[in-house]
Amino acid sequence: MSSSNNADIHSQRILILDYGSQYTQLIARRVREIGVYCEIFSWDFPDAENFAKTAQGIILSGGPESTTKQDTPHVPDYVLTADVPVLGICYGMQALAKKLGGEVSESSQREFGFAQVTVKRASKLFSDLQDDKNEDNQQLLDVWMSHGDKVTLLPEGFVTLASTGNAKYAAIANEGKNIYGLQFHPEVTHTKKGEEILRSFLLDICGCDASWTAGNIAGDIIDRVRSQVGTEHVILGLSGGVDSSVVAALLHEAIGEQLTCIFVDNGLLRLHEGDQVMETFAKHMGVKVIRVKAEDHFLSTLNGIDDPELKRKKIGNLFIEIFEKEARKIKDARWLAQGTIYPDVIESAAATTGKAHLIKSHHNVGGLPDDMELSLVEPLRELFKDEVRRLGDELGLPYEMIHRHPFPGPGLGVRILGEVKKEYADILRRADHIFIEELRGHDLYNQVSQAFTVFLPVKSVGVMGDGRKYQYVVALRAVETIDFMTARWAHLPYDFLDLVSRRIINEINGISRVAYDISGKPPATIEWE
Ligand code: XMP
């Protein structure tokens, strides 16, 4: 892929107003998956009005508040005067109803979980979608509800599109004005036809075409990077993680020789990881990569330190020190590339203002000193993680690199409990490799969100051959999670765990015992330190 599309893939866009729902980012991801660019703004952020002027449609998210209370978030006037289709979801629908003269009341029965709505009237939103039919031949849709309040009086001009036993107004519309409301959540996968409903809204009602695709996004980023950096030189810290790998591939495509990657190999990576990074980028793709073999430096810095936060700090600071030293050697560098992604941008904005809007630039995450005078190039700033992965696939990066579980920046440094030693890291790498290899071999890798091995620096007795041996213990950890804020331990089959345990103890001299971590988050965390 060299250059690309000429069409501006941002010209069609949806404004998502955030009312504080845990699902707001999910709405945005779904909209993007359908192929339409969108941005999230807090409902009261002034710049949202400007964005609305160029948008093809507006979606109002759900939220935790109640419109029955005083001074709760409301629908700004411009939403209704922008003259584009509007879709209110849950709180968003209630706020719309209230704004337009309808009524919302607290419900005596909270509705949470699966529900079946009956479609009462033909509309562009549901067209012929159905999961089932009732005896009156009406379409039934399986949906996900999560609400306390409900609309009890429709605003003028509105009709009921769908109802449940508990919520008469489960879906409402004023089709003449292209205003729609859903009491249920089309963005969650439990609403089986949710994606199709959003697709109807975006493509049929808002009239968007689905041009936000991985190929077009890659082309757009490549064009923009070229015009941003011109003929100047860019440096990038390559870690082998998904984001920096995709940035490397994009920049290489965009500016070739003008890119130099610095890969700081801290000796705390997974088995063969450093070699694989070099193989993929330097050997196969011809990217200029400087590999700094800094294992000894990191291990000596960590010598005698067992406090987890101090270990993190030492590893982070040394990384910056080494990276800076290497970067200074590249005399003509003017740009520093970073793998900042959209959730980082939203979070950094939220951290400074308490609101999800997009103003703040992620400044020098790498922590390079100002006197280097590097400007930032952040080609993934607009993208969600799943979009970054699709780009990685599009750019031909190895599947295993792009679809890998998250790996913490301090690497094995926080998976070796207490003091970090080379002997421990070498044992842990091999044990972890066996665990991951077997997960992949048994098609379990993609069924868990994160899996790894932890090294415990205690010795436990084992009977090996003729004698008793005191050797180290490792723990296996595998979790299922959506957001990594809460997690359930993965219920891996006993036979599988048995196989992994036997392989680890038989193949790795130094381990006498394997444990499986059955703690959820909370109260435990995913990592052990
Ligand atoms: P916890 O252990 O807090 O982990 O439940 C949640 C997610 O964060 C990752 N994690 C880290 N990532 N640097 C990182 O880059 C860190 O210091 C760090 N600590 C935890 C962890 O792997 C999990 O995905």
Side-chain angles (χ1 to χ4, degrees):
M1 179 190 324
S2 50
S3 185
S4 52
N5 57 319
N6 297 317
D8 177 3
I9 56 170
H10 300 84
S11 65
Q12 293 193 338
R13 40 175 54 191
I14 296 293
L15 167 64
I16 297 175
L17 283 189
D18 178 30
Y19 287 88
S21 165
Q22 57 175 328
Y23 298 135
T24 305
Q25 287 197 30
L26 205 50
I27 301 174
R29 282 168 51 195
R30 295 279 172 266
V31 170
R32 304 267 193 103
E33 272 162 21
I34 291 166
V36 182
Y37 180 67
C38 61
E39 286 189 23
I40 301 173
F41 288 81
S42 178
W43 69 274
D44 58 349
F45 185 55
D47 273 10
E49 182 168 359
N50 279 333
F51 191 89
K53 288 182 183 145
T54 58
Q56 273 60 47
I58 301 174
I59 298 179
L60 314 178
S61 83
E65 310 236 22
S66 168
T67 58
T68 62
K69 304 275 179 337
Q70 290 272 305
D71 295 330
T72 46
H74 58 265
V75 177
D77 291 340
Y78 68 80
V79 170
L80 298 166
T81 53
D83 203 23
V84 293
V86 180
L87 172 65
I89 296 173
C90 199
Y91 182 90
M93 154 168 154
Q94 294 159 12
L96 257 180
K98 189 114 187 219
K99 174 91 180 174
L100 293 165
E103 274 173 24
V104 178
S105 316
E106 282 178 67
S107 177
S108 52
Q109 257 179 303
R110 251 186 82 79
E111 215 176 357
F112 181 80
F114 280 110
Q116 201 167 45
V117 301
T118 308
V119 176
K120 298 286 184 187
R121 189 188 176 101
S123 71
K124 275 195 195 170
L125 196 60
F126 298 140
S127 55
D128 53 1
L129 296 176
Q130 63 174 50
D131 293 307
D132 207 348
K133 275 199 164 174
N134 66 12
E135 59 273 17
D136 299 328
N137 217 23
Q138 288 172 307
Q139 297 156 254
L140 299 174
L141 290 166
D142 294 331
V143 304
W144 184 256
M145 292 277 193
S146 171
H147 66 109
D149 295 353
K150 60 184 180 186
V151 173
T152 42
L153 178 71
L154 285 185
E156 212 181 301
F158 274 72
V159 292
T160 307
L161 298 185
S163 307
T164 67
N166 182 40
K168 187 171 169 206
Y169 305 122
I172 60 173
N174 179 335
E175 286 216 279
K177 294 196 163 153
N178 274 328
I179 302 175
Y180 294 83
L182 297 175
Q183 187 53 70
F184 59 87
H185 290 272
E187 69 276 21
V188 303
T189 50
H190 306 296
T191 297
K192 289 189 193 150
K193 295 284 189 288
E195 189 192 323
E196 277 109 317
I197 294 170
L198 287 173
R199 189 184 296 277
S200 301
F201 178 71
L202 298 167
L203 307 190
D204 302 338
I205 297 169
C206 298
C208 295
D209 51 30
S211 55
W212 185 259
T213 60
N216 287 344
I217 297 168
D220 178 72
I221 292 176
I222 288 166
D223 289 347
R224 279 194 290 155
V225 167
R226 280 181 186 153
S227 67
Q228 191 180 7
V229 308
T231 56
E232 294 177 338
H233 210 104
V234 182
I235 41 183
L236 165 69
L238 182 62
S239 69
V242 178
D243 302 337
S244 70
S245 296
V246 172
V247 173
L250 277 169
L251 292 190
H252 180 64
E253 191 75 38
I255 55 171
E257 289 287 301
Q258 289 161 247
L259 170 70
T260 304
C261 297
I262 300 170
F263 168 43
V264 179
D265 186 343
N266 60 13
L268 302 169
L269 302 175
R270 291 161 284 194
L271 194 68
H272 308 313
E273 193 170 0
D275 294 341
Q276 280 160 0
V277 168
M278 295 309 289
E279 181 99 349
T280 303
F281 290 100
K283 195 165 161 205
H284 288 313
M285 294 170 60
V287 179
K288 228 188 292 170
V289 186
I290 298 169
R291 178 181 190 173
V292 189
K293 290 198 174 180
E295 180 182 36
D296 292 347
H297 201 160
F298 276 88
L299 288 175
S300 62
T301 301
L302 291 170
N303 192 14
I305 295 176
D306 58 9
D307 177 71
E309 288 314 307
L310 192 55
K311 287 199 286 182
R312 280 189 168 83
K313 211 175 270 170
K314 291 264 181 197
I315 294 169
N317 289 344
L318 183 56
F319 170 83
I320 292 169
E321 189 188 307
I322 294 174
F323 186 80
E324 183 194 335
K325 194 166 149 218
E326 288 304 318
R328 282 189 190 279
K329 292 182 191 163
I330 305 164
K331 293 284 178 233
D332 57 346
R334 292 286 167 271
W335 297 85
L336 175 69
Q338 286 187 343
T340 315
I341 64 173
Y342 192 47
D344 302 331
V345 177
I346 296 173
E347 268 161 39
S348 87
T352 45
T353 63
K355 298 279 160 63
H357 55 231
L358 314 177
I359 35 164
K360 201 163 167 339
S361 153
H362 224 66
H363 188 65
N364 261 8
V365 177
L368 284 190
D370 285 344
D371 74 329
M372 289 196 68
E373 290 180 354
L374 295 172
S375 307
L376 286 184
V377 48
E378 298 179 305
L380 310 179
R381 252 183 97 79
E382 291 181 334
L383 305 184
F384 287 106
K385 193 85 179 185
D386 35 9
E387 294 177 298
V388 174
R389 291 207 162 94
R390 283 196 288 275
L391 262 190
D393 291 334
E394 175 77 21
L395 294 161
L397 288 170
Y399 179 88
E400 288 190 0
M401 175 177 268
I402 294 306
H403 296 270
R404 202 138 68 171
H405 296 160
F407 185 63
L412 302 187
V414 290
R415 290 180 179 172
I416 294 167
L417 302 195
E419 189 181 356
V420 178
K421 294 184 181 169
K422 178 164 168 56
E423 177 202 357
Y424 298 168
D426 287 341
I427 289 178
L428 175 57
R429 256 189 282 273
R430 292 174 58 208
D432 188 64
H433 185 71
I434 291 173
F435 184 29
I436 299 299
E437 185 175 73
E438 290 298 342
L439 281 168
R440 288 195 192 279
H442 287 79
D443 279 336
L444 291 167
Y445 185 84
N446 290 325
Q447 291 182 36
V448 298
S449 314
Q450 196 172 9
F452 54 90
T453 311
V454 181
F455 182 89
L456 314 187
V458 291
K459 289 200 170 174
S460 164
V461 72
V463 200
M464 298 192 192
D466 298 332
R468 290 158 74 82
K469 268 196 179 169
Y470 290 88
Q471 295 188 318
Y472 295 114
V473 181
V474 293
L476 308 177
R477 179 79 163 137
V479 294
E480 292 164 8
T481 173
I482 291 174
D483 55 8
F484 294 88
M485 306 294 280
T486 62
R488 158 189 130 112
W489 60 273
H491 295 200
L492 294 174
Y494 285 175
D495 286 349
F496 171 80
L497 291 170
D498 180 49
L499 171 79
V500 174
S501 157
R502 275 187 290 120
R503 271 198 66 192
I504 289 176
I505 295 171
N506 288 338
E507 293 175 32
I508 303 174
N509 191 10
I511 298 178
S512 64
R513 206 169 283 263
V514 175
Y516 187 55
D517 182 351
I518 53 166
S519 328
K521 174 182 180 176
T525 51
I526 295 175
E527 301 288 346
W528 276 44
E529 279 196 336

